[in-house]
């Protein structure tokens, strides 16, 4: 149990120390207030905090300020208690002494020695240099002729310094120095001369090492003395190392400019002393709580609430001014349920607007139903509010300028309405207001105020409040507020009021399970809606469409539209709905891939060398001949390879028949070695397996040879039935054309060099069609064979274009790289799904064949769904297509089918083409338009 007891004792001691520290601080602050000084509880020395309580205890335990100051180096010992550091100990000791002198010296004199401390002017406002503060008075104190902050060795005694006295500090301090006498000649420098006789230090009787003493040197007081006359001066100066710098403690001089509070306090004390002399001192107010101090009072929210409910005009003006600001800046945090009676107070205040125009002062009763005209039912609402408004006597405001009282009253009512409007934007506040029947009465009253510019702003506030709360209310056609909103739509000339009223009616019971039937719709309101939809105003049109969507969702309302078709512009309405389907539509091309791309197919055999290129090779000697042949028929490919034996056999097959004894072939080893020299990425490798394979990695055969200038030869792709494909290559299109006409068509030239197309000179039967790859161009002519001239002209369409406009013509030319062809059988049979024959040169490949369809798409949201006016329009059309057949049965029970068909034809017949167009070209609305057409077909046939 001993450890627990010790811990409890330590805790008790800690609590006692904390309690004693608080008592000391409070007592010291009271003493400083009486004396008129400031206590620095955050005093720091060398960056370390000095606890005044601890400092006071240490100094008083050692005898007090005078005792420690009279003892040499005593303030350094006090500083060691605070771990101020060994470097610059003298400066830190004096700074600590100054902290005690400024904050605790007078407190020590009063509390420890029970004496009256000296005045502030000769104590705290002077430097801490010296001692004898207990005996200091105005009569005996004489300030020093020179003031300055020095080290503690200079201040630890008020004794007159002796001339040429050297004080030596404790060992290791290194801060000893010579005190100076007043108006005395400076002492001569004593150059240090070490004792060279022995390496050991003489030991002092006190068992402490002493610093080596300088050799005695005669004093020189004359001005002709020079350090060079001393034999040791040169070595001393060369080896002189100055000590560390001592920080200088500065204290700003207090002037009326930089510290006016001190001088103001001095003047106040002088005046108080004078009053005391004259006997005019009032009773002390010290310790008493002055009015407005010590209690902050209610916060601004409570203050405004109480001011509004007080009934005092000034307080209400103050409350409304701040409520407007709070509702605008902090409306998201200011909730009615947290401040009871705030909403009631605002509604009661804003009801006062009727007193400006009618001879009435509204009151709210919470006791039950009442029949007095000016008393509103705060429990169930006032259902006959409109009838009461009609009975009120109108007070016409003066035609001249309004009075100041009228303007101030109206301005405060507008502030109350604005506050309700701002707070109603928060969902929680809107729910709270929806449960107040008196709010519905106020909205009806505000919307039936006289048509005047003075109340236009308040009507707007009332409509915006209704827009936020009607979604929590049920309304039928007899509801006063519902009738007021419809009247506002019918009679309003203000665009903003119309839009807000439309939204308020549309949102009725939106958050409830009960549908908004919108019964009792005046025909004039629907006429206005049809007219407003023709305007170029997206916001107004959107509000009209929202109301129409809610209205047409009820089958009875759809029947009402049919019954009023003589008074309403129904065809114009349907046409506008169809046009709005393409509102803000943008043309967007959508790419459809008909056939995928065909990549370039690697060549499988080494191509033949054209005759003119072979003749060029034969003119060269080895190894230049083999090198040029390799460059012409091979190309680099890191992923391909060819066997060494195939490469060597291809070389032999090409040049063996043209070689003589003078021009022989290269040896196989040297030939294979040259491959790596010609192609940097090629190297000979051995592939291990069932049988070793020697390959050349990094090259592959070309599809067509190239000449020494890099020009690619074109392959003849003529392939007659039952024969192999022609294997000739030609560099120029003219040579290729001559080759086809002479070799494959069997024509010969005339004497003038022109081709002879007559039958007599033909060397072979005329080809029945073009056999260039899979062309078969003339097979579509119903067995009508082409003439020789037609074939020769057609062949030119397959030749490469090397003219200056080749790039421009390429996208329109029929080339193997960009064409697909329907086979003969598919064309003759007319099959729905034709067979596509790929007429593609394997050396060129083919890009993907794509088809671009242009669509007229309307705007989308982040999820890719239609939004805005097009979406609402198609939903209205869907409601009509679904509900008109139901309404037709109720309207004409005797002939429902015929009437239904007539109604659907009358409504949707003029816009059907537009609907089909939108379904085909507007991708976001395709599915919804399909639903509309499905309902139209169902309603017209069933």
């Amino acid at each position: 149990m001993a450890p627990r007891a010790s811990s409890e004792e330590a805790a008790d001691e800690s609590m006692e120390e904390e309690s004693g520290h608080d008592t000391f601080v409070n007592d010291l602050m009271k003493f400083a207030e009486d004396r008129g000084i400031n206590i620095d509880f955050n005093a720091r020395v060398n960056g370390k905090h000095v606890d005044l309580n601890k400092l006071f205890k240490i100094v008083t335990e050692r005898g007090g300020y005078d005792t420690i100051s009279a003892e040499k180096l005593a303030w350094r010992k006090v500083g060691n208690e605070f771990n101020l550091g060994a470097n610059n100990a003298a400066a830190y000791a004096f700074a600590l002494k100054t902290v005690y002198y400024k904050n605790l010296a007078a407190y020590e004199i009063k509390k420890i020695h029970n004496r009256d401390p000296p005045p502030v002017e000769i104590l705290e406002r002077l430097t801490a240099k010296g001692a004898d503060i207990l005996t200091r008075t105005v009569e005996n104190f004489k300030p020093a002729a020179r003031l300055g902050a020095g080290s503690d060795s200079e201040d630890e005694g008020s004794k007159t310094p002796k001339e040429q006295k050297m004080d030596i500090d404790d060992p290791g301090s290194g801060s000893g120095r010579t005190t100076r006498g007043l108006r005395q000649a400076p002492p001569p420098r004593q150059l240090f001369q070490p004792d060279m006789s022995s390496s050991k230090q003489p030991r002092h009787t006190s068992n402490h090492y002493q610093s080596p003493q300088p050799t005695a040197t005669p004093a020189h007081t004359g001005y002709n003395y020079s350090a060079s006359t001393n034999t040791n001066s040169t070595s001393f100066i060369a080896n002189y190392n100055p000590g560390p710098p001592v920080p200088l403690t500065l204290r700003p001089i207090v002037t009326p400019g930089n510290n006016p509070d001190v001088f103001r306090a001095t003047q106040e004390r002088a005046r108080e002393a004078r009053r005391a002399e004259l006997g005019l001192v009032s009773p002390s107010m010290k310790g008493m709580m002055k009015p407005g101090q010590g209690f902050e009072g209610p916060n601004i929210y409570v203050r405004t609430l109480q001011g509004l409910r007080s009934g005092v005009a000034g307080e209400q003006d103050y409350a409304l001014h701040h409520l407007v600001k709070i509702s605008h800046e902090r409306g998201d945090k200011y909730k009615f349920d947290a401040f009871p009676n705030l909403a009631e107070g605002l509604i009661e205040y804003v009801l006062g607007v009727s007193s400006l125009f009618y001879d009435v002062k509204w009151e709210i009763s919470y006791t039950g139903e009442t029949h007095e005209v000016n008393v509103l039912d705060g429990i169930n609402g006032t259902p006959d509010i409109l009838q009461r408004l009609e009975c009120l006597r109108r007070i016409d405001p003066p035609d001249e300028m309004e009075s100041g009282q009228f303007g101030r009253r109206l301005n405060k009512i507008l502030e109350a309405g604005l506050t309700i409007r701002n707070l109603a934007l928060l969902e929680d506040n809107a729910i709270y207001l929806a449960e107040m029947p008196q709010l519905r009465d106020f909205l009806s009253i505000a919307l039936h105020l006289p048509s005047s510019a003075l109340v236009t702003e308040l009507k707007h506030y009332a409509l915006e409040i209704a827009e936020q709360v009607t979604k929590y209310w049920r309304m039928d056609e007899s509801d006063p507020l519902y009738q007021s909103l419809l009247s506002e739509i019918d009679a309003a000339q203000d665009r903003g009021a119309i839009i807000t009223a439309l939204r308020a009616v549309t949102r009725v019971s939106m958050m409830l399970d009960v549908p908004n039937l919108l019964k009792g719709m005046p025909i004039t309101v629907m006429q206005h809606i049809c007219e407003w939809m023709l305007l170029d105003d997206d916001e107004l049109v959107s509000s009209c469409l929202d109301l129409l969507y809610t209205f047409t969702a009820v089958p009875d309302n759809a029947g009402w539209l049919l019954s009023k078709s003589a008074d309403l512009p129904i065809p114009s309405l349907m046409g506008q709905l169809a046009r709005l389907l393409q509102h803000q539509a943008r043309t967007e091309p959508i790419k459809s891939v008909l056939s995928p791309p065909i990549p370039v197919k690697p060549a499988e055999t080494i191509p033949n060398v054209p005759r003119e290129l072979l003749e060029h090779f034969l003119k060269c000697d080895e190894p230049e001949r083999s090198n040029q042949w390799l460059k012409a028929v091979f190309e680099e490919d890191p992923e391909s390879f060819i066997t060494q034996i195939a490469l060597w056999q291809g070389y032999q097959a090409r040049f063996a028949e043209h070689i003589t004894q003078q021009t022989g072939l290269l040896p196989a080893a040297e030939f294979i070695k040259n491959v790596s020299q010609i192609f940097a990425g090629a190297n000979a490798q051995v592939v291990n397996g069932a049988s070793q394979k020697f390959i050349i990695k990094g090259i592959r055969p070309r599809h067509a040879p190239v000449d020494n200038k890099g020009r690619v030869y074109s392959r003849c792709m003529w392939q007659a039935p039952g024969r192999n494909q022609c294997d000739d290559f030609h560099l120029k299109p003219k040579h290729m054309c001559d080759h086809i006409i002479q070799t494959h068509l069997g024509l010969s030239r005339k004497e003038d060099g022109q081709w002879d197309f007559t039958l007599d000179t033909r060397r072979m039967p005329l080809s029945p069609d073009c056999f260039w790859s899979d062309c078969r161009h003339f097979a579509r002519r119903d067995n009508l064979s082409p003439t020789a001239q037609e074939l020769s002209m057609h062949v030119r369409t397959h030749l490469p274009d090397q003219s200056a406009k080749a790039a421009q013509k390429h996208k329109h030319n029929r080339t193997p790289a960009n064409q697909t062809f329907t086979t003969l059988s598919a064309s003759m049979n007319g099959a729905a799904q034709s067979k596509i024959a790929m007429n593609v040169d394997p050396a060129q490949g083919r890009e993907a064949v794509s088809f671009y369809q242009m669509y007229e798409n309307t705007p989308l949201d982040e999820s890719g769904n239609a939004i805005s006016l097009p979406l609402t329009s198609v939903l209205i059309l869907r409601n009509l297509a679904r509900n008109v057949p139901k309404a037709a049965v109720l309207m004409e029970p005797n002939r429902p089918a015929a009437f239904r068909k007539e109604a659907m034809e009358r409504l949707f017949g003029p816009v059907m083409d537009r609907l089909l167009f939108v379904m085909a070209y507007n991708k976001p609305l395709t599915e919804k338009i399909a639903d509309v057409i499905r309902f139209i077909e169902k309603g017209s046939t069933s």
Side-chain angles (χ1 to χ4, degrees), residues 695-743:
I695 63 171
I696 300 294
K697 180 73 172 179
I699 63 172
R700 69 177 183 186
R702 295 180 182 270
H703 285 277
V706 298
D707 62 1
N708 55 353
K709 296 181 180 180
R711 295 177 296 183
V712 182
Y713 283 80
S714 298
R715 178 193 294 270
C716 178
M717 301 183 67
W718 193 275
Q719 185 176 4
R723 298 184 182 181
N724 295 330
Q725 183 175 346
C726 181
D727 204 18
D728 281 359
F729 293 90
H730 298 275
L731 187 61
K732 296 181 180 182
K734 182 180 182 306
H735 297 166
M736 177 68 73
C737 182
D738 294 345
H739 162 73
I740 295 174
I741 294 175
Q742 183 176 3
T743 305

Side-chain angles (χ1 to χ4, degrees), residues 36 102 120-127 251 262 266 269:
K102 295 289 185 182
V120 178
E121 289 77 10
I122 62 174
L123 189 62
E124 284 90 347
R125 297 184 184 176
L126 297 180
T127 178
R251 181 176 63 87
V262 174
T266 303
R269 286 193 297 271

